[in-house]
Amino acid sequence: MDTSQYLEIFIEESKEHLQMCNEQLLELEKNPEDINIVNIIFRSAHTLKGMSATMGYEDLANLTHQMENVLDAIRNQKISVTAEILDVVFKAVDYLEEMIYSIADGGTGKKDVSDVVLLLKKIEDGESAILDLSPKFNQVNPNSINLSNYDEFEYTVLIQSQEQGFNTYEINVSLRQDCFLKAARVFMVFEVLEQVGEIVKAFPSVELLEEEKFEQEFTISIISNETQESIKSRLMKVSEVESVIVSNINLDQISREDSSSEMFEQVAVTTEEVNFSVEEVKSNNSETKVSNKQTSNKTIRVNIERLDILMNLFEELVIDRGRLEQISKELSHSGLSETVERMTRISGDLQTIILNMRMVPVETVFNRFPRMVRQLARDLGKKIDLQVFGAETELDRTVIDEIGDPLVHLIRNAIDHGIETPDIRKASGKSEEGILTLKAYHSGNHVFIEIQDNGAGINREKVVNKALKQGVITENDAELMSDKQVYELIFSSGFSTAEIISDVSGRGVGLDVVKSTIESLGGSISIDSVEGKGSTFLIQLPLTLSIISVLLIELGKEKYAIPLSSIIETAIVRKDEVFNAHNQKMIDFRDKIIPLVYLEEFFEVQKEHDDSDYISVVIVKKGEKTAGFVVDSFIGQQEIVLKSLGSYLSSVFAISGATILGDGQVALVVDCNSLIK
């Protein structure tokens, strides 16, 4: 069966099931007695196994099968949920995710999962299984065929061969460490074995062996009339073969394992059955108060590339709309004006719909954090309760793609530096468990994301001392700086107050990258902190990046656009009110000293004769800082389509893109953040 047409659906649904497993495993850790949660995880694992087997991904099917056995034992109350067992199941889910992402990237989805399979089997047998990378697991031969890895056909072939009097062997071949052409030696081994019998299976697979994707050992199972000694002596004659171990296949053992496991149950699962299972899992989620909006909404999956194309086409339409508006004004034709107005209204509605289609719930980013927080808390010996609010808040997909890493940095920072260890918290009168809150919400044309912890907060004195030591500020600056300005210093490159550099943080390379990434998205970040009570990082992001509102201005004969999100106000100032201070032209505006940036000089625009006594100033902000951009004249406010300058001009300083105006002129979009130091 050609399954390639189902690959995209398989990948997407597998991701959903793995996300479900992750979420419910975290719930299970909090409620270890709740069998309903185990049932949900079991059904997701079961469906994933069925889909993987149907699509031909054996490693995925085998691992989910083993995971399913453990979950089955938990729901039948044969074993109890412990943190150690959950560690192993989490690891299995991690492996499954790696395999799914490998398939999504065009890979084979194969992975050596023998260490986790071994631990899952131990758990199933009621033995202790602690997840670590201790030598005993590393010593497991990754190339030995797991007996339960035989599929139904192979198993039947082996049974029938033994019934007809043939010998069935597993042959472990080890090549010399200095073997140069491993694939050639594998070919020679196969050639020898094909002379004495029929090969049933190889591990790693033949494809991986041909690509030399194995260490020095591999295993082959074979049906033959020859004796073990005869086969061994033939193989030992192949050059660079170091050792050969030939052993009989114990089909009784396979049978026992098989009868207890339903191993091959899902191989024959049809696509219809798989789809049914997905719906079943989703509908069952409602029983445990898990959000089931997927089943209540009528939705279709649309490739994001199609939405990108739709957005690009609409952007072209917006440009033409602007041009039509311009022509309509010039001609003053009532019929044309009415038509243009109607078209503007309809295209405005269309724009809203298309922008909404590109909106993705921020939960797609938030979903990864519960696991990360759990692991970091365990690694650092802390107790942390992660509370997430507003995960349904939607953001443009482009922003979603970029915001994940900055949030990871901020959360890791809050866990490592913010929230204290249980003994310190207890000593300071707090509960042992720290609270980390992740909150998203809309306000105007922006989305805000808050990362708040109730930890130690930021120590002003410590930050100031470090900044003085690094020469970032002077003692005079330190006295004049507000608390907020001091906290902003932690966003300086290479700045860290951590006394110990750990794997989590402490090198001072995270927060400056966070700030620059957020600013590159047209957003901003601020800090609020109270020592002893905790810190709050507030990120402000634009709803969308492609169509923005700007103020059009003129410099000489050229037009430029300044994003409205950066503008505080515009002003007309007398030239004699401009004064010099520290080699910088300034104005005193509303009792605040504001430095001026003459855009005409900065962009080297040819000067027009100007005998006016006034200058036009656009007051812009960057966080707490303000500056005045001196321009020739204001044109007006407009919605524009922000176009990239392309790879050749990507590094042009202080220009974030360009747009085509209604009159066909190109206007460059000023990057205000770059101009304010």
Side-chain angles (χ1 to χ4, degrees):
M1 182 177 75
D2 179 18
T3 55
S4 58
Q5 57 182 316
Y6 304 117
L7 186 61
E8 203 172 322
I9 297 173
F10 165 71
I11 291 167
E12 287 306 312
E13 293 196 351
S14 298
K15 285 179 182 174
E16 284 177 13
H17 284 296
L18 290 173
Q19 182 57 37
M20 178 68 73
C21 287
N22 268 323
E23 288 173 4
Q24 295 303 312
L25 282 168
L26 289 166
E27 281 297 313
L28 185 62
E29 191 167 37
K30 292 175 189 167
N31 307 291
E33 303 297 326
D34 193 339
I35 298 302
N36 282 331
I37 299 175
V38 184
N39 283 333
I40 294 172
I41 304 167
F42 182 87
R43 281 192 288 268
S44 276
H46 187 75
T47 309
L48 189 56
K49 183 180 84 171
M51 292 194 302
S52 308
T54 308
M55 296 294 292
Y57 296 112
E58 286 182 25
D59 289 353
L60 265 168
N62 291 337
L63 183 54
T64 40
H65 168 72
Q66 201 54 51
M67 199 171 105
E68 200 182 83
N69 285 352
V70 170
L71 294 167
D72 194 39
I74 293 173
R75 68 178 184 169
N76 289 324
Q77 299 181 339
K78 291 178 183 171
I79 51 177
S80 304
V81 176
T82 63
E84 287 71 29
I85 288 177
L86 287 178
D87 280 345
V88 176
V89 180
F90 270 128
K91 191 68 187 172
V93 174
D94 285 345
Y95 278 2
L96 291 171
E97 279 179 341
E98 284 179 34
M99 287 190 269
I100 291 293
Y101 280 100
S102 159
I103 294 165
D105 292 339
T108 59
K110 290 188 177 297
K111 182 173 175 62
D112 174 19
V113 295
S114 54
D115 54 345
V116 168
V117 168
L118 186 68
L119 291 171
L120 289 169
K121 281 187 172 176
K122 280 188 167 193
I123 294 169
E124 190 190 347
D125 295 339
E127 297 175 30
S128 170
I130 297 170
L131 180 65
D132 61 15
L133 296 175
S134 59
K136 63 180 177 180
F137 299 124
N138 292 335
Q139 285 166 7
V140 173
N141 179 7
N143 294 328
S144 65
I145 291 179
N146 184 331
L147 292 176
S148 63
N149 279 353
Y150 291 110
D151 65 24
E152 191 173 22
F153 174 75
E154 292 158 355
Y155 175 73
T156 307
V157 168
L158 290 171
I159 288 281
Q160 289 177 351
S161 302
Q162 285 196 355
E163 287 172 355
Q164 292 169 17
F166 288 95
N167 299 315
T168 53
Y169 300 123
E170 274 185 7
I171 305 166
N172 183 264
V173 181
S174 195
L175 300 178
R176 275 175 25 196
Q177 289 293 329
D178 58 354
C179 177
F180 185 63
L181 294 169
K182 291 196 290 186
R185 300 306 166 209
V186 170
F187 173 78
M188 292 169 75
V189 167
F190 271 64
E191 198 173 45
V192 170
L193 291 177
E194 280 168 354
Q195 288 170 6
V196 298
E198 188 180 341
I199 295 172
V200 177
K201 192 179 183 83
F203 190 83
S205 67
V206 175
E207 291 78 16
L208 292 176
L209 289 171
E210 285 175 350
E211 292 168 10
E212 299 192 353
K213 290 182 177 175
F214 67 103
E215 297 297 328
Q216 300 306 119
E217 296 180 33
F218 56 95
T219 305
I220 300 164
S221 52
I222 183 175
I223 301 165
S224 174
N225 272 328
E226 298 281 329
T227 62
Q228 292 183 15
E229 292 72 23
S230 166
I231 292 174
K232 183 176 179 179
S233 62
R234 283 170 181 259
L235 290 177
M236 287 303 291
K237 288 179 183 172
V238 177
S239 300
E240 297 184 306
V241 168
E242 192 171 65
S243 70
V244 174
I245 301 170
V246 184
S247 55
N248 286 310
I249 296 177
N250 187 343
L251 288 174
D252 288 339
Q253 189 181 349
I254 298 174
S255 177
R256 278 199 303 278
E257 294 198 0
D258 189 46
S259 61
S260 64
S261 67
E262 305 175 0
M263 172 62 202
F264 309 112
E265 171 194 354
Q266 286 298 323
V267 174
V269 170
T270 62
T271 307
E272 286 77 15
E273 285 170 331
V274 170
N275 288 336
F276 172 75
S277 299
V278 173
E279 292 305 317
E280 183 191 40
V281 171
K282 286 177 178 173
S283 63
N284 276 311
N285 295 342
S286 62
E287 294 168 12
T288 54
K289 300 178 183 176
V290 176
S291 169
N292 68 334
K293 59 186 177 184
Q294 295 97 325
T295 52
S296 58
N297 293 337
K298 288 182 180 177
T299 56
I300 56 166
R301 291 177 191 278
V302 180
N303 191 315
I304 191 68
E305 286 176 9
R306 292 187 185 182
L307 288 182
D308 287 341
I309 292 168
L310 182 63
M311 190 66 190
N312 287 337
L313 288 172
F314 182 74
E315 286 171 359
E316 297 299 326
L317 193 64
V318 169
I319 292 167
D320 284 340
R321 182 181 73 185
R323 182 149 179 73
L324 266 179
E325 285 170 350
Q326 182 83 18
I327 293 168
S328 168
K329 278 181 194 168
E330 288 169 8
L331 294 179
S332 298
H333 186 283
S334 60
L336 178 61
S337 297
E338 279 178 27
T339 309
V340 170
E341 275 177 24
R342 184 172 160 72
M343 185 189 160
T344 305
R345 207 164 46 247
I346 293 171
S347 62
D349 292 343
L350 187 60
Q351 177 181 334
T352 307
I353 292 169
I354 294 174
L355 288 177
N356 283 338
M357 283 165 66
R358 288 176 55 84
M359 290 294 181
V360 182
V362 77
E363 71 178 349
T364 52
V365 180
F366 283 7
N367 281 343
R368 70 166 100 159
F369 298 135
R371 275 290 312 278
M372 189 187 90
V373 171
R374 175 190 182 271
Q375 194 58 47
L376 276 178
R378 281 176 71 84
D379 292 347
L380 297 170
K382 295 182 180 180
K383 291 182 180 176
I384 297 171
D385 177 22
L386 175 68
Q387 299 180 352
V388 179
F389 301 98
E392 70 285 352
T393 309
E394 292 183 326
L395 258 174
D396 189 280
R397 178 226 168 204
T398 317
V399 182
I400 288 277
D401 288 347
E402 299 292 328
I403 197 63
D405 288 343
L407 288 179
V408 167
H409 276 296
L410 291 173
I411 290 173
R412 288 168 71 92
N413 211 58
I415 295 172
D416 196 20
H417 298 311
I419 295 175
E420 314 93 328
T421 52
D423 52 332
I424 296 175
R425 289 182 66 85
K426 205 173 175 182
S428 55
K430 294 179 178 177
S431 68
E432 288 189 357
E433 189 178 59
I435 297 174
L436 182 62
T437 309
L438 197 56
K439 192 190 293 180
Y441 53 92
H442 275 133
S443 180
N445 280 330
H446 291 90
V447 166
F448 292 84
I449 299 176
E450 270 183 35
I451 301 104
Q452 188 178 46
D453 68 74
N454 67 346
I458 300 173
N459 183 320
R460 177 190 164 104
E461 197 182 334
K462 207 170 175 181
V463 175
V464 168
N465 288 340
K466 190 80 178 185
L468 286 170
K469 198 174 173 185
Q470 293 187 354
V472 179
I473 56 170
T474 63
E475 289 197 5
N476 193 32
D477 292 335
E479 286 175 13
L480 296 173
M481 288 174 90
S482 66
D483 285 350
K484 216 160 189 176
Q485 286 171 324
V486 170
Y487 302 152
E488 292 275 334
L489 291 172
I490 66 173
F491 288 119
S492 307
S493 178
F495 192 91
S496 174
T497 55
E499 284 156 14
I500 301 170
I501 294 173
S502 68
D503 291 339
V504 181
S505 58
R507 295 183 187 277
V509 293
L511 290 179
D512 63 318
V513 176
V514 167
K515 192 175 186 192
S516 59
T517 305
I518 290 168
E519 287 177 350
S520 71
L521 292 170
S524 62
I525 181 168
S526 60
I527 315 171
D528 200 7
S529 182
V530 179
E531 196 177 353
K533 291 191 176 176
S535 307
T536 303
F537 288 78
L538 182 65
I539 299 171
Q540 180 181 342
L541 293 164
L543 270 181
T544 181
L545 299 177
S546 53
I547 297 178
I548 58 172
S549 295
V550 296
L551 173 71
L552 287 176
I553 53 103
E554 250 179 341
L555 296 175
K557 290 179 180 174
E558 296 179 11
K559 289 176 182 168
Y560 287 79
I562 301 174
L564 279 187
S565 58
S566 298
I567 297 175
I568 300 173
E569 62 179 299
T570 56
I572 305 291
V573 179
R574 288 184 62 86
K575 280 183 179 173
D576 55 16
E577 289 177 4
V578 177
F579 61 92
N580 281 308
H582 301 287
N583 295 323
Q584 170 77 51
K585 288 187 174 173
M586 307 268 196
I587 53 170
D588 185 349
F589 187 74
R590 300 191 194 282
D591 297 329
K592 197 171 179 184
I593 304 300
I594 295 176
L596 294 179
V597 178
Y598 284 76
L599 292 186
E600 206 171 52
E601 294 172 9
F602 187 83
F603 291 125
E604 296 179 5
V605 178
Q606 193 173 359
K607 282 190 178 180
E608 296 284 302
H609 178 68
D610 180 18
D611 54 2
S612 169
D613 293 333
Y614 296 89
I615 55 169
S616 304
V617 181
V618 184
I619 312 290
V620 293
K621 62 175 179 178
K622 178 190 177 188
E624 295 293 309
K625 296 175 185 171
T626 52
F629 291 170
V630 180
V631 302
D632 285 354
S633 62
F634 310 127
I635 298 174
Q637 184 181 329
Q638 192 171 325
E639 274 197 338
I640 59 150
V641 178
L642 182 62
K643 295 277 188 186
S644 159
L645 290 177
S647 53
Y648 291 111
L649 298 173
S650 60
S651 58
V652 176
F653 182 69
I655 296 294
S656 58
T659 189
I660 302 169
L661 301 174
D663 58 5
Q665 274 195 52
V666 172
L668 296 173
V669 181
V670 179
D671 178 8
C672 301
N673 289 330
S674 305
L675 289 172
I676 306 175
K677 293 177 182 172

